[in-house]
Structures are given as C-alpha cells and as structure tokens.
Amino acid sequence: MLFLSLVLLALAYLVGSLPLGHWLLLRLGFDTRNVSVYNLGVENVLRRVGPSSALISAGLDATKGFVAVLMASSIGQVSTGQLENTGRAELCVLAGLACYLGHLNPPRALYGDTLPRGRGNLVLLGILAGLSVAGGLSDWLTLPPLIVYAAVLGLGGFISVATVSGLGTLAAVLALSSLGLAAKIGGLALLLSAVWRFKENLGRVLDDTEPRLGDAVPMAGRQQDVVVAAFMIHPLTLDDFWQPRRFAWLKPLVERGVISEKAVRQMAESLRPMKIGELNGIRTAEGKQIRAYLLSSPLMPDVFSDKPELAVRRAIEGARLAQELGASVFGLGAFWSVVGNKGQDVQAAVPGIAVTNGGAYTSGTIKAAIPGILEHFAGSGRDLGAATAAVVGANGVVAFGIARTIAPQVARVIMVGRDLERLERSATALRRANPGTEIVTSVNYNDLRQASLIFTATSDPAPVIFPQHVSEGTWIFDEGRPADVDESVKQIPGVRVIPGGVVRPPGHMTSQVNLHFGDGAVPACLAETLILAATGEYSRRSLGPHTLSENVNFFVEEAEKLGFTVVD
C-alpha cells in the first residue's frame, strides 16, 4: 500500500504541474511566464483576455486540485480493509499538497527555462473542494479556511494575505483534529509553501506597494493614457537599507548586536531584485500618467567594485522583473548605471525592454543649470572673468561639454582626467575656440586646489574628490551619479556642493522611498526613464560610454514639453 500511495502522490504532482490554463491562454497570445505574479490572478487575466477565457483557465486550474484529491480518494475506496477512513483523508491531504507543489514548481520539460508565475489560488480552491466532497474531511475542517479567506480579503483587500490566512486556518484545524500526523504535516506544508510563494507579495504589503483587490494594475499596451517605467536603485548606507518596512525589523537587532552588520550585508548580496516603492502622481502636461516602479537589489556601494559580475547579474534580473511588471523602460540609477558596460550588457540580455543609463538627459540638465550657477557665482562677489575653473572627468563626453560651455567665461580651465594624451587633444580644440582662456591639463587631483569653481562628472563608482583636493570657499557642481564628491568635503569652510542633474517631474509626485533629492524631485537619469516611457522614443535611450548630442537635445526639448523642470 505504501508503494501505491507514493505512486498516487507522484501522479498528483504531475496533475498539478499540467499547464492547462497556461496552454489555453498561450493559444490566445498571452504568455503567463512573461508576467509577474503582481500582474497575474483571475482579475487581471480577465482584463487581458476576456471573461470567458479567464474563467475557463481558472476552472482548469481548480479542476487539477479537485482531480488530485479525487484520485487519492478513489485509491482509498478500492483498498477497503487496508486504509481506514482517517488514513484515506490523510492521503487526500498529502495528494492536495503534491498537486499544489506541482503547480508552483512544475518540471522544466513542460515550460522550458522560464517557469510560470501563477500563485495557485484556484488550485487551492479545487483541493479544498475535493477534500470536502471526496476526501473525507468534514465541513468543520474545510469551511473555516474559506470563511477566514473571505473575511481577510474583504477587510484588507490583499489576496496574498487572505490566502496565507486561509491556509493558516486549515493548518490549525487539521492540527486540532483527530486526523493522523501525515494530515497535520500536510496542512503545515501547504501553509509554508504558500508563504514562500507569496513572500514577495507579503513584502510589498509591508512596503505599501501591493495592489488591493479591485485596484487597476497597469499592463503594457492596455491603456493609452498610462505608461509604466521601472528604475533600479540601491542603498548607499545601511540607513537606506532599513527604509523598506520588510527590512526595518532588522535595524534594532543590529543595534543590539543580535545580528552583525556583516551578516546583513551578506544577506543583501543574496537577495534578488524586488519592488520596494512606486512614484505616484506624475502626470505630463498632455495628461498622460506615468507610473514608475522602484526596484532594488540591495547591494551596498562597495559590492559594485568588489563583485562586478554579481552586480551585472542582479541588473539583468532587475530588467527581467521590470518587463514582467509591465514596464516599457528600465532605468539604471546610481552605481547600477555603470555596470555591464553602462547598460549595454543588460540590454543585450533582456532585449524585450528598453534599458537606459540616463546619461543623455543628465547631460542635458547641465545645459540648463550651468548658466544659473555661473550667474550666482558672479553675484556672490566673485570675479567670474578672472576665476580658475576645474573640470573633473574631462576625458568623458559630459565633462568635456561642461568645459566647452564655461571656457569662454573664465580666465583659466584645468581639465582633470586619467588619460593625459586624450586630455591634450581635447584641450587643443578648446584652445583654438577660446584663445583668450588658459587651458591646462592634469591627471593630479591636487591641482583642484587652484580652482574656485569645480565641475565634476565622472562615472567612477566611488567618490574621487576629498578634502585634500579642495580649497576653502570653493563652489563644486557635482554632476556625478553616484556622487563624485565625498561627504567630508562639505565640512570645509565656505565650500558649497551643488548636486547636479536634479529634476522635478510634472504633477504632484509622491513616493514611499526617500531618494535623497528632495520632495517631488528625482535624478535626471530617472527623469530620462520617465521621458522615454512617456514618448515611446526608445531608440533615444542612453547605453554605453558615448552620448549623442542629438539625444541630449531631444531630452531637453521633450522634458520642457512634458513639464519636467530642472531644479537649480
């Protein structure tokens, strides 16, 4: 009988793994493997393919659960004398568990490398129906989970919380029942399997980013007046790591020494990208709503230089998650912007979504900001025409553009970079265009002490300007993202550090996450992601080390049309 029971459980697993609903929807052009669980469920599938197909798909999933339990019940009936009624009920519970596990984790042979994203609620409903009708469980065991599920869903609106609550109730009533140990273990395993499957949804509930039942979830191409973008961020410090409520509980444990900071950092490296926030309230001057998901794989800054392969892998995973969530554009922020050849490797790995490092509009914001900075500098009592200005990262396109802009207005420009030969070639062009300005080149950051104005725009993943490089009273325009200027520089008397590339999107933007750019403001690289989503001009995306001037002009012009403004 043991052998027969094991065969039955294997069959129940295979029944659960049959992609019946998936096959049906695939014939209608809807591949559930490419959609996140955030955008799945009967409600959203109904919106996507219509009521009849959605209900048939749901019915097929529920049938799998019912059939799995029915098979176990049939074995009990034909094995009279070998299985008591209690033993048959235990086998039915275990068959339901096997079916659910088969639905969540089917053999790759049925789906290929991309497994389905379904949550299995309809399968669970079929299992409960089977346990009640054919599994020998009384209504006192099968009705309470349904009642709790309905109550929690009605009060809170979160399907994930309702499902876990219902299965928790099932595990509890089974534990209190007269059924044997196998049934109790089966009920607990069902609960744990659901908790693991819903872990990301439960995290989003804590972070207030999970949709409630009835909320409209945007899907690519379904609403003309709503576009969706996604942007990848990471914590700069442990204080940023605590921002999402799903991790906030760790903070007191670290402060009390129960868990070490090293352990938290190691845990962060093991976490795949997740949705931790959303930018709401962004609406262009034309009335188009832009929804932006904030994704994070919480790598600390040092990991990007110490483990570049891990950073690239997480960025690629983030792009895939963005695509599953229905985003049309995926932006790389802060240290993410320099991984994978500044996004080129990420785009190659995930061609189905536009990937950008935000460099073009970042350059464009300089055009808008520099005249105002120079005007304020002159208005502070300084002689701009006699000033020495330094440009850090002058080997790059963005920084050279800055040098070209300021050279006619100052007495001396120090171009600082890593490749002296390339610097000299660029300096020669500037000297021809500005014969009245002294242009010098350097690879020594100590030469910055000669400047009263410093403009910096490197792609270095770590700060490059420290107190020993800066004189008192210097104004620094930091266009680097991540920042080029170390925080300690701000302690020098009279030094003013002006963050570059800060933009205010149109509308009344709100967010659960503090991006450290002020209320209602975002970095220019994120703004570029939003502009791409709004315009659909994905060919303008910024990838690799080079930025086309025509793309810079495009973003400046489109930003103005859409209502984006540069923060001075």
Side-chain angles (χ1 to χ4, degrees), residues 239-256:
D239 284 337
D240 290 332
F241 183 80
W242 313 134
Q243 277 201 59
R245 278 177 282 191
R246 70 177 79 186
F247 299 132
W249 61 274
L250 285 168
K251 183 177 181 179
L253 298 181
V254 172
E255 292 174 343
R256 292 183 176 91

Side-chain angles (χ1 to χ4, degrees), residues 357-565:
N357 61 36
Y361 189 46
T362 300
S363 300
T365 59
I366 296 173
K367 287 177 125 181
I370 286 183
I373 290 172
L374 296 179
E375 181 180 348
H376 289 318
F377 181 82
S380 68
R382 312 285 189 97
D383 186 352
L384 180 62
T388 294
V391 179
V392 181
N395 287 128
V397 174
V398 173
F400 179 70
I402 295 174
R404 191 167 46 194
T405 301
I406 65 174
Q409 305 182 63
V410 297
R412 187 167 179 251
V413 175
I414 304 173
M415 300 175 63
V416 180
R418 294 177 177 173
D419 188 329
L420 190 59
E421 184 177 345
R422 286 180 56 198
L423 283 174
E424 277 298 329
R425 287 200 296 268
S426 299
T428 299
L430 279 184
R431 291 177 186 125
R432 283 198 299 265
N434 304 277
T437 303
E438 181 184 359
I439 310 292
V440 298
T441 58
S442 175
V443 293
N444 188 346
Y445 278 76
N446 290 326
D447 289 338
L448 296 177
R449 295 186 61 84
Q450 303 172 35
S452 54
L453 263 174
I454 298 176
F455 296 85
T456 177
T458 80
S459 58
D460 202 295
V464 296
I465 299 177
F466 295 91
Q468 64 267 28
H469 304 138
V470 180
S471 298
E472 292 185 7
T474 302
W475 284 32
I476 307 175
F477 181 58
D478 188 354
E479 188 65 31
R481 287 293 174 269
D484 288 336
V485 181
D486 189 77
E487 283 293 315
S488 58
V489 172
K490 296 179 182 178
Q491 306 304 317
I492 301 174
V495 166
R496 181 180 178 186
V497 179
I498 305 166
V502 180
V503 178
R504 197 175 304 282
H508 302 282
M509 190 196 82
T510 61
S511 175
Q512 304 94 333
V513 179
N514 181 5
L515 297 175
H516 303 298
F517 290 92
D519 291 341
V522 300
C525 50
L526 172 49
E528 176 173 320
T529 306
L530 303 176
I531 293 169
L532 283 172
T535 61
E537 296 282 350
Y538 307 130
S539 63
R540 301 283 188 176
R541 65 191 183 276
S542 301
L543 286 174
H546 303 298
T547 303
L548 297 177
S549 58
E550 62 188 60
N551 288 345
V552 173
N553 295 332
F554 167 81
F555 283 107
V556 171
E557 293 168 2
E558 289 300 318
E560 185 176 353
K561 292 178 186 176
L562 295 171
F564 290 79
T565 57

Side-chain angles (χ1 to χ4, degrees), residues 219-227 287-289 533-534:
M219 291 178 284
R222 302 298 293 182
Q223 296 172 282
Q224 295 301 317
D225 60 341
V226 179
V227 294
K288 182 173 291 186
Q289 181 186 358

